[in-house]
Amino acid sequence: IELKRTMSHAFRVATVQLTAMRSLGFRHWANACAQKHFVLPAKELEFRQVLVSVSVGFWGGLCPFPCTSVFTAASMLLYSWGVPKHQRFNAPMASIAIVINEIILPLNLAALPGFVLVGARYYEYTTGQEVDCRITSQVMQDLQEKPRETLEHCGFCFGLGCAVWTALTPLVLGYIRVVAVATKFANCQVRKIDGSHALNCAPCKLRGT
């Protein structure tokens, strides 16, 4: 139930932010959005949680397919699946991830041809059939101006790129989780030294220290 609420909150944030970005312009929207959905929520979170939120939002924002917020939400769901409650995404973390997902749109457009190229090469290697998936500057411009028509024309190529991103996602999320846990344990050791470590620390209980 808590996870469903988090995902619902993430979709609401994404819808509101897309509307605001169109009305305010990217620069003004980015400044206001960073204050409301990044700086303020970050004050409620630990460093580990901020690190996870930014990392998952960044990776979800790189998905070579329109409406990356959906893929970011799916990444949050996958990251939170089957882990202790204190490691799952909550509403402030979801807000940060969605904002990062929207802000890195230029990087998404820059990385898109690379994902598509890798997907096309793998498709040719496995099937022996050549496929023309060259993403030119004109295609990128059409994607921004006429996304529906462009997807209908180049949908298969974008699908190959999305398949590469999907295949890499479990590995990337696993790496983020390992780094987050290592960061938490390192923080526990620092707190033990300065005497501010909590006796009921969940990671230390899990580790048995």
Side-chain angles (χ1 to χ4, degrees):
I1 295 176
E2 180 182 352
L3 207 52
K4 289 182 179 179
R5 291 177 179 174
T6 300
M7 295 300 104
S8 177
H9 176 78
F11 281 118
R12 286 198 301 270
V13 170
T15 302
V16 170
Q17 295 311 317
L18 287 174
T19 304
M21 183 169 58
R22 294 191 184 99
S23 61
L24 297 177
F26 182 78
R27 179 180 296 180
H28 295 290
W29 167 82
N31 290 334
C33 192
Q35 286 293 325
K36 182 177 180 180
H37 296 285
F38 187 84
V39 177
L40 294 179
K43 294 180 179 179
E44 305 175 15
L45 303 174
E46 300 176 1
F47 173 76
R48 171 189 62 83
Q49 293 174 306
V50 175
L51 176 65
V52 170
S53 302
V54 172
S55 301
V56 173
F58 187 90
W59 177 248
L62 289 181
C63 181
F65 206 79
C67 194
T68 55
S69 298
V70 175
F71 295 93
T72 299
S75 297
M76 289 189 285
L77 182 63
L78 181 60
Y79 184 92
S80 301
W81 180 66
V83 298
K85 186 176 180 179
H86 69 272
Q87 295 185 22
R88 299 173 188 170
F89 266 79
N90 53 34
M93 293 176 68
S95 296
I96 292 176
I98 291 296
V99 170
I100 295 298
N101 163 84
E102 302 294 343
I103 288 178
I104 68 164
L105 176 61
L107 291 178
N108 172 281
L109 297 177
L112 190 150
F115 279 107
V116 172
L117 179 62
V118 173
R121 293 292 177 267
Y122 183 77
Y123 178 83
E124 292 175 357
Y125 175 78
T126 55
T127 65
Q129 301 178 1
E130 294 186 2
V131 56
D132 184 11
C133 284
R134 290 173 295 178
I135 305 297
T136 63
S137 57
Q138 183 61 43
V139 173
M140 298 300 295
Q141 182 178 350
D142 291 342
L143 182 62
Q144 299 178 57
E145 297 175 355
K146 301 177 293 183
R148 182 176 179 179
E149 292 80 356
T150 306
L151 284 176
E152 290 177 353
H153 181 68
C154 304
F156 180 70
C157 295
F158 288 126
L160 291 176
C162 191
V164 173
W165 179 90
T166 302
L168 292 175
T169 294
L171 299 177
V172 173
L173 295 183
Y175 180 77
I176 293 173
R177 183 175 295 170
V178 169
V179 171
V181 173
T183 302
K184 181 65 177 179
F185 282 131
N187 189 40
C188 287
Q189 297 305 315
V190 172
R191 290 185 177 182
K192 285 180 179 179
I193 294 175
D194 63 22
S196 61
H197 184 260
L199 295 177
N200 59 345
C201 176
C204 289
K205 281 186 177 181
L206 183 64
R207 192 182 183 187
T209 59

